[in-house]
């Protein structure tokens, strides 16, 4: 074998053979979280750059978000088995991002019921093709087996209380935010909130073409109202409410106020983007890369309001 090929294989070998290690840490009684990478999707993290939740109920395990691929969902399941021998009976999708639902197929094959807000499904259907194309290009063989499997049980109302295997689970939808179907999972017995993509810490949040920042802030108001003892963001380490305010709410509200003034003053979008003071948020991971797109989309969103 030519030396150059051998060298390339040695360089690529770990990226192709090593799977991401899913580790659940206990954050409350019967409540666990795997904290995903706060950087971009990569081969090494199998696009698992988001937090994954686990609730162990008397009648079975509840997984909150199944990862972005069939293989990462299998990794999640194996990590669940290290916590409890109970089967995964329910999977909750907290939104329409790839890592919130594309692992559904694996858990459907295991017999789990898939739960999401009804608003998430049109978003999943609309963006599935682009998500699959991007992940297949990134992950190659690690994307094998992944297929778009939509949730079976849809929540139509803003609030729903479910008994899942003896655990009381409240599902809260405030019109979306990061994606139209963003839904928070509240566990009143433990005072624990899985906020999904309503809360980002340690990294800058991403405003997408499907995002609605006004609704996003309204959803954050619900986080404030609940005042959870344990706050698990969609990205980043479990956090205090004050950290979530500083790194999610304050960025969104400051950006919206800046862009509102720019739109009212008929300021050019480029000038508006460049004049925003990113300083208080610049230390967050991905801030420099993500902010210009965020600012552009918020400007255009406010123009439409």
């Amino acid at each position: 074998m030519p030396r150059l090929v051998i060298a390339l294989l040695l360089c690529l070998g770990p990226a192709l053979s090593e799977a991401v290690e899913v580790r659940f840490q206990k954050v409350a009684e019967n409540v666990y979280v795997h904290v995903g990478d706060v950087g971009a999707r990569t081969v090494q993290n199998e696009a698992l750059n988001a937090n994954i939740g686990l609730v162990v109920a008397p009648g079975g395990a509840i997984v909150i978000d199944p990862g972005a691929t069939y293989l990462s969902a299998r990794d999640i399941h194996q990590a669940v088995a290290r916590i409890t021998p109970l089967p995964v009976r329910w999977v909750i999708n907290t939104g329409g991002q790839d890592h919130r639902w594309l692992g559904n197929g694996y858990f459907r094959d295991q017999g789990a019921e898939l739960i999401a807000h009804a608003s998430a499904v049109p978003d999943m259907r609309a963006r599935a093709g682009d998500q699959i194309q991007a992940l297949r290009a990134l992950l190659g063989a690690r994307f094998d087996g992944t297929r778009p499997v939509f949730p079976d049980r849809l929540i139509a109302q803003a609030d729903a209380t479910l008994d899942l295997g003896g655990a009381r689970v409240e599902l809260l939808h405030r019109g979306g935010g990061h994606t139209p179907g963003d839904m928070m999972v509240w566990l009143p017995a433990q005072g624990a909130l899985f906020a999904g993509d309503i809360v980002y810490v340690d990294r800058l949040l991403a405003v997408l073409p499907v995002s609605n920042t006004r609704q996003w802030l309204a959803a954050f108001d619900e986080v404030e109202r609940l005042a959870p003892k344990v706050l698990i963001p969609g990205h980043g380490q479990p956090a205090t409410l004050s950290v979530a305010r500083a790194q999610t709410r304050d960025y969104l509200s400051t950006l919206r106020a800046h862009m509102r003034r720019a739109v009212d003053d008929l300021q050019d979008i480029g000038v508006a983007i460049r004049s925003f003071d990113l300083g208080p948020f610049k230390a967050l991971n991905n801030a420099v890369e993500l902010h210009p797109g965020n600012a552009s989309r918020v400007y255009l969103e406010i123009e439409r309001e």
Side-chain angles (χ1 to χ4, degrees), residues 279-294:
F281 313 103
K282 202 167 184 179
L284 295 173
N285 205 42
N286 302 322
V288 173
E289 298 85 356
L290 289 177
H291 172 69
N294 290 349

Side-chain angles (χ1 to χ4, degrees), residues 6-303:
I6 293 172
L8 286 171
L9 288 174
L10 288 173
C11 291
L12 292 174
L16 293 173
S17 61
E18 293 178 8
V20 65
E21 183 176 4
V22 179
R23 290 185 178 182
F24 283 111
Q25 57 178 289
K26 187 174 183 178
V27 292
E29 190 64 29
N30 297 319
V31 180
Y32 303 80
V33 63
H34 163 76
V35 177
D37 284 356
V38 292
R41 295 164 178 79
T42 65
V43 174
Q44 288 79 9
N45 65 30
E46 295 186 54
L48 200 61
N49 63 336
N51 294 347
I52 307 299
L54 168 64
V55 180
V56 180
I62 306 162
V63 167
I64 300 170
D65 296 321
T69 70
Y70 194 92
L71 293 179
S72 61
R74 186 185 65 186
D75 295 335
I76 291 166
H77 195 193
Q78 290 171 350
V80 171
R82 293 193 289 272
I83 301 294
T84 177
L86 293 171
V88 175
R89 292 188 56 198
W90 303 275
V91 171
I92 299 172
N93 300 152
T94 65
Q97 282 295 85
D98 48 13
H99 39 228
R100 305 296 177 199
W101 75 282
L102 277 176
N104 278 351
Y106 172 85
F107 284 106
R108 167 75 64 78
D109 290 348
Q110 314 310 309
E113 182 179 38
L114 311 174
I115 304 170
H117 195 269
S119 299
V121 177
D123 180 42
M124 292 171 177
R125 292 187 183 278
R127 294 196 292 140
D130 289 342
Q131 291 174 350
I132 289 168
Q133 183 178 12
L135 288 174
R136 184 176 285 119
L138 173 68
L139 299 176
R142 288 192 176 185
F143 195 70
D144 288 354
T146 308
R147 64 193 192 278
V149 173
F150 301 102
D152 342 270
R153 185 172 181 179
L154 301 182
I155 307 301
Q157 62 269 44
D159 299 327
T161 300
L162 307 181
D163 183 328
L164 300 181
R168 177 174 170 170
V169 177
E170 296 183 15
L171 303 178
L172 311 173
H173 180 263
R174 293 296 176 267
H178 181 61
T179 71
D182 281 357
M183 186 171 68
M184 296 181 286
V185 181
W186 172 237
L187 305 169
Q190 295 94 341
L193 179 69
F194 285 91
D197 286 333
I198 297 303
V199 177
Y200 281 60
V201 303
D202 303 327
R203 62 163 293 179
L204 192 72
L205 60 84
V207 179
L208 305 176
V210 299
S211 300
N212 184 308
T213 57
R214 183 168 58 182
Q215 291 174 331
W216 198 332
L217 284 168
F220 196 94
D221 287 344
E222 184 69 12
V223 179
E224 298 262 20
R225 186 189 70 80
L226 291 169
K229 296 177 185 176
V230 180
L231 174 55
I232 302 115
H235 297 265
Q237 293 288 334
T240 63
L241 189 51
S242 62
V243 169
R245 288 187 191 113
Q247 298 185 10
T248 292
R249 185 200 63 184
D250 290 357
Y251 174 70
L252 284 173
S253 59
T254 303
L255 183 56
R256 279 187 57 87
H258 178 87
M259 291 305 174
R260 171 61 67 190
R261 289 191 296 272
V263 170
D264 289 346
D265 293 344
L266 302 179
Q267 190 176 86
D268 177 77
I269 187 171
V271 173
I273 292 169
R274 291 191 296 273
S275 62
F276 181 81
D277 179 13
L278 188 60
F281 313 103
K282 202 167 184 179
L284 295 173
N285 205 42
N286 302 322
V288 173
E289 298 85 356
L290 289 177
H291 172 69
N294 290 349
S296 174
R297 292 183 187 106
V298 170
Y299 182 102
L300 296 173
E301 177 187 339
I302 287 174
E303 275 194 322

